[in-house]
Amino acid sequence: MGGSENSKAMVVGHLADSIREISGLPECQNVCKKMYGNLIRRVKLLSPLFEELKDCDESLSDEQLQAFESLRAALDFTMILLKSVNHGSKLYQALRRNDTADKFQQITEKIDAALSDISYNKLEISEEVQEQIELVHAQFKRAKAQTEFADLQLDLDMAVAQKEKDPDPAILKRLSEKLQLRTINDLKKESSELHELVITSDGELGDSFEAVSSLLRKLKDCVLIDNPEVASYESEQVSIKHRSPVIPDDFRCPISLELMKDPVIVSTGQTYERSCIQKWLDAGHRTCPKTQQTLLHTALTPNYVLKSLIGLWCESNGVELPKKQGSCKTKKSGTSLSDCDRTAIKALLDKLTSNDIEQQRAAAGELRLLAKRNADNRVCIAEAGAIPLLVELLSSTDPRTQEHAVTALLNLSINESNKGTIVNAGAIPDIVDVLKNGSMEARENAAATLFSLSVLDENKVAIGAAGAIPALIKLLCEGTPRGKKDAATAIFNLCIYQGNKARAVKAGIVAALIRFMKDAGGGMVDEALAIMAILASHHEGRIAITQADPIPILVDIIRTGSPRNRENAAAVLWSVCTGDFLQLKLAKEHGAVEALQGLSENGTDRAKRKAGSILELLQRIEGEDSIQNS
């Protein structure tokens, strides 16, 4: 009996605490306000039941305990959902409102199901409480059956605003009011929230990023035009004096949506504000935020033509760009660490050489953060001689110190000249050792560091020769989602060098890639196909891929995959089938002709070429079969 009473006390106490916590959540300020508020109000009405049960001595049956456990689980999910919808970009929440409404509906159904399993007449509660709970239960039943989440006007306005280049100002004003994005400050905050969303999304926003960016630009332009009395509109990037002109879209950074002052080009050809894309790279991302393509390298090339055009536009529109900050060499001593305090950095280096393991760990951690913060710090830290000391700490027996050291080197390697300094300090074998034997975080950051260093072609050879590829494949197979992506990006870049393709094949990468390609929900299909496409151009790679029975999954991806994946799948299929009659027959048996005909009509240019070449091969074997049968 004592165990049953303890179980009752625990579950009832947990439920009472959950209801109290949900009831105390702040008011929602976005398009989810109605469903958010209704759900909290209904949950709050359950409170008297569990407050009364806490005070009674009656034990609960196993069935009642199980029903309360189901309700506890439903309320835990409720808390997660409510917290997730009450922050971040309001435009993004609006765009995903139907998905969010589905989640609210599912939670409502879970709570209703749990309440249905509770026998109120068997509980030692007052009639008033029983009546209230039954009324609340009835409310959950009605909410489950009705579409209280519909807002047809908002759906229509969002659709029109996205579709039309210059939407009716009345539509934009309605959206502005509905989303509470009425002022310049509201829009600046929304821009910051979107910026943060891009950084933390790990490249998963997809088409939503373009849609939200476009809507925010249109709302900004609408608010600025409607407020000519705004004397100056200042943000991090720009000060606009007098009446604010509409900034051309091509002059805005796709991440911050602000006028660019230092535009740079990434490997996909997209242009961003340097500080914004640098923050994205510093966060460990290796994809282009706008196109979601994998970056072949992290070098940033100044876009002088666009910078000149922006300068001319600013001059003709009375817009003053803030002056670019000087490099760390022009900073005065005694400034803050973010302004490159050489004295403070020197003190940290002294601690790196200390015999005190805690001082070493703390100093390495501080340098890791400073190197991540801005470009000036990366130059100053390297110039102060930190890199050889950090390389020594890669062999530290303290796991946390090792993590800090490899991550600091990763952040420092963002600076192109630091890449050479890191390699010249003999870092590659030690980074590979961390990749093999470090903690999971250290292994992930070691993989990212090797990718960063492999941007220079001469380093691809050295990294492959140091035994990195088998260790990267191991991380690819057993790492966290982020670790798998870091490993895949590094492997892809290293395999641009022919010798590393053979190493990857010998280390058994093909079997792992096939597994990823078959697991559509695993999030690694893009990376697996990109690597396989590059391996298929190598003789040993082609043999290993052929032996892995790739035809069924390749044909399936050509039929249903994304444009880039269909292109890569066709490239691999072409390599496997060229000169191999058996593979061509297998491809035909698995429906390749129909899939390739579809690709030849609506694929990318490269995909169309590959599809055409394979179809020609398939037609030849059909002709040969006809001759043999006649």
Side-chain angles (χ1 to χ4, degrees):
M1 181 65 74
S4 176
E5 289 174 359
N6 287 338
S7 297
K8 174 208 167 185
M10 284 178 63
V11 72
V12 170
H14 189 118
L15 282 163
D17 291 342
S18 293
I19 292 168
R20 197 176 304 114
E21 192 176 352
I22 289 170
S23 302
L25 288 173
E27 184 181 359
C28 184
Q29 298 295 334
N30 59 39
V31 291
C32 302
K33 182 175 183 176
K34 182 179 178 182
M35 43 192 175
Y36 176 98
N38 285 344
L39 183 55
I40 288 179
R41 176 178 54 76
R42 292 181 189 120
V43 169
K44 192 174 182 179
L45 291 172
L46 295 173
S47 179
L49 170 63
F50 299 103
E51 293 299 331
E52 194 160 304
L53 283 174
K54 279 169 65 177
D55 296 332
C56 80
D57 298 326
E58 183 189 18
S59 59
L60 298 175
S61 67
D62 290 344
E63 291 78 12
Q64 295 283 35
L65 278 173
Q66 189 172 351
F68 284 162
E69 280 289 349
S70 297
L71 182 59
R72 181 191 65 78
L75 292 183
D76 286 346
F77 283 122
T78 300
M79 175 61 79
I80 293 169
L81 175 62
L82 290 169
K83 285 184 175 178
S84 72
V85 302
N86 197 20
H87 73 279
S89 164
K90 293 179 179 180
L91 281 167
Y92 185 65
Q93 290 286 9
L95 205 63
R96 298 185 67 251
R97 196 172 59 82
N98 290 332
D99 291 338
T100 304
D102 288 343
K103 291 178 183 176
F104 271 89
Q105 194 78 2
Q106 290 163 15
I107 288 292
T108 300
E109 289 170 3
K110 283 179 184 289
I111 296 174
D112 170 56
L115 291 174
S116 296
D117 291 337
I118 298 173
S119 302
Y120 306 111
N121 57 346
K122 294 181 181 180
L123 296 174
E124 195 176 294
I125 55 176
S126 64
E127 287 184 15
E128 292 85 355
V129 169
Q130 183 172 336
E131 287 176 3
Q132 178 173 329
I133 297 304
E134 287 173 348
L135 285 170
V136 176
H137 189 187
Q139 288 183 21
F140 275 105
K141 279 189 181 299
R142 284 198 301 274
K144 186 180 72 169
Q146 68 191 27
T147 55
E148 64 175 25
F149 315 120
D151 189 335
L152 297 178
Q153 184 65 63
L154 176 62
D155 291 341
L156 182 61
D157 287 347
M158 290 283 289
V160 172
Q162 288 178 73
K163 185 178 179 182
E164 295 185 3
K165 186 176 180 181
D166 296 306
D168 187 335
I171 291 175
L172 294 175
K173 285 178 185 176
R174 275 201 302 270
L175 284 176
S176 178
E177 288 296 322
K178 187 77 177 181
L179 303 178
Q180 299 184 41
L181 297 172
R182 306 181 184 99
T183 67
I184 293 299
N185 284 335
D186 291 339
L187 291 164
K188 285 170 68 177
K189 184 178 179 184
E190 175 68 11
S191 183
S192 297
E193 293 286 5
L194 178 59
H195 190 177
E196 193 61 31
L197 178 67
V198 171
I199 298 299
T200 58
S201 69
D202 203 22
E204 295 174 358
L205 290 182
D207 294 339
S208 298
F209 173 69
E210 279 294 313
V212 174
S213 298
S214 174
L215 283 169
L216 184 53
R217 280 195 296 269
K218 291 167 185 174
L219 284 173
K220 273 188 174 182
D221 293 343
C222 179
V223 170
L224 287 171
I225 289 169
D226 283 351
N227 291 275
E229 70 279 3
V230 176
S232 67
Y233 164 36
E234 295 187 349
S235 70
E236 288 180 8
Q237 282 75 28
V238 63
S239 300
I240 302 178
K241 296 186 176 179
H242 312 300
R243 189 179 185 280
S244 301
V246 176
I247 303 168
D249 286 351
D250 290 342
F251 294 174
R252 296 181 192 259
C253 171
I255 296 176
S256 70
L257 306 180
E258 302 289 353
L259 183 66
M260 290 184 278
K261 69 174 184 290
D262 189 10
V264 292
I265 305 169
V266 297
S267 66
T268 59
Q270 298 294 327
T271 295
Y272 299 92
E273 172 61 35
R274 183 185 292 276
S275 61
C276 295
I277 192 63
Q278 193 64 69
K279 186 176 179 183
W280 168 263
L281 296 172
D282 289 351
H285 300 300
R286 294 296 178 268
T287 54
C288 173
K290 189 170 182 180
T291 67
Q292 306 301 316
Q293 291 174 266
T294 299
L295 295 172
L296 297 178
H297 57 76
T298 54
L300 303 177
T301 306
N303 191 334
Y304 293 118
V305 174
L306 184 60
K307 188 172 184 178
S308 175
L309 291 172
I310 291 172
L312 291 171
W313 180 86
C314 289
E315 188 178 338
S316 62
N317 285 276
V319 175
E320 181 184 345
L321 281 168
K323 293 179 181 177
K324 199 175 172 184
Q325 292 183 346
S327 70
C328 67
K329 295 177 182 178
T330 64
K331 301 287 181 185
K332 296 178 182 178
S333 60
T335 55
S336 68
L337 279 176
S338 62
D339 288 332
C340 187
D341 188 328
R342 293 176 180 278
T343 305
I345 289 173
K346 176 66 168 62
L348 290 172
L349 300 197
D350 290 341
K351 290 181 181 179
L352 285 186
T353 58
S354 165
N355 292 324
D356 185 333
I357 191 71
E358 292 197 3
Q359 282 201 357
Q360 282 187 339
R361 186 191 307 129
E366 185 66 23
L367 287 168
R368 166 186 180 171
L369 294 174
L370 287 173
K372 182 175 181 177
R373 195 167 296 162
N374 61 47
D376 285 351
N377 285 353
R378 288 189 274 278
V379 174
C380 290
I381 291 168
E383 287 180 349
I387 288 174
L389 301 178
L390 289 167
V391 171
E392 284 184 30
L393 289 182
L394 293 174
S395 305
S396 172
T397 55
D398 178 59
R400 195 65 182 146
T401 302
Q402 189 182 67
E403 285 173 15
H404 288 327
V406 75
T407 312
L409 289 169
L410 166 62
N411 295 335
L412 289 169
S413 73
I414 293 167
N415 178 289
E416 291 302 304
S417 62
N418 286 349
K419 289 179 176 28
T421 308
I422 292 169
V423 172
N424 291 337
I428 288 176
D430 290 327
I431 295 170
V432 172
D433 190 58
V434 174
L435 178 65
K436 291 176 179 176
N437 303 309
S439 67
M440 184 54 73
E441 182 184 343
R443 290 171 66 195
E444 290 172 354
N445 289 337
T449 307
L450 291 175
F451 164 74
S452 179
L453 296 176
S454 70
V455 169
L456 303 178
D457 287 340
E458 61 269 25
N459 292 343
K460 291 181 176 69
V461 181
I463 292 168
I469 292 195
L472 285 168
I473 294 171
K474 190 177 181 187
L475 180 61
L476 180 70
C477 294
E478 65 186 30
T480 64
R482 182 199 144 201
K484 288 178 179 179
K485 288 188 181 292
D486 284 335
T489 310
I491 291 167
F492 177 87
N493 214 39
L494 289 169
C495 285
I496 293 171
Y497 169 61
Q498 284 289 104
N500 287 336
K501 292 176 186 176
R503 291 187 175 104
V505 171
K506 286 174 184 172
I509 194 172
V510 171
L513 297 179
I514 292 287
R515 284 198 304 274
F516 285 132
M517 287 162 58
K518 290 179 178 178
D519 181 13
M524 290 296 294
V525 177
D526 297 6
E527 290 81 358
L529 267 170
I531 295 170
M532 188 168 280
I534 206 168
L535 293 177
S537 64
H538 188 273
H539 176 67
E540 291 178 34
R542 185 164 57 253
I543 292 172
I545 293 168
T546 302
Q547 291 171 346
D549 188 27
I551 300 294
I553 186 62
L554 289 172
V555 173
D556 187 52
I557 291 170
I558 290 170
R559 187 182 293 114
T560 63
S562 67
R564 179 53 58 89
N565 286 349
R566 294 174 76 200
E567 175 186 310
N568 281 330
V572 176
L573 186 64
W574 179 82
S575 293
V576 168
C577 289
T578 300
D580 193 322
F581 182 79
L582 178 60
Q583 296 303 315
L584 278 168
K585 282 193 72 174
L586 280 171
K588 184 181 176 185
E589 289 168 7
H590 283 89
V593 173
E594 183 183 352
L596 290 165
Q597 284 172 342
L599 185 62
S600 66
E601 292 171 5
N602 55 32
T604 64
D605 289 343
R606 178 171 176 252
K608 288 177 181 178
R609 289 195 299 272
K610 293 294 182 187
S613 298
I614 304 169
L615 286 169
E616 283 182 17
L617 294 173
L618 289 167
Q619 285 169 357
R620 281 185 211 161
I621 67 162
E622 276 188 20
E624 290 174 11
D625 285 346
S626 299
I627 293 169
Q628 289 174 2
N629 294 331
S630 59

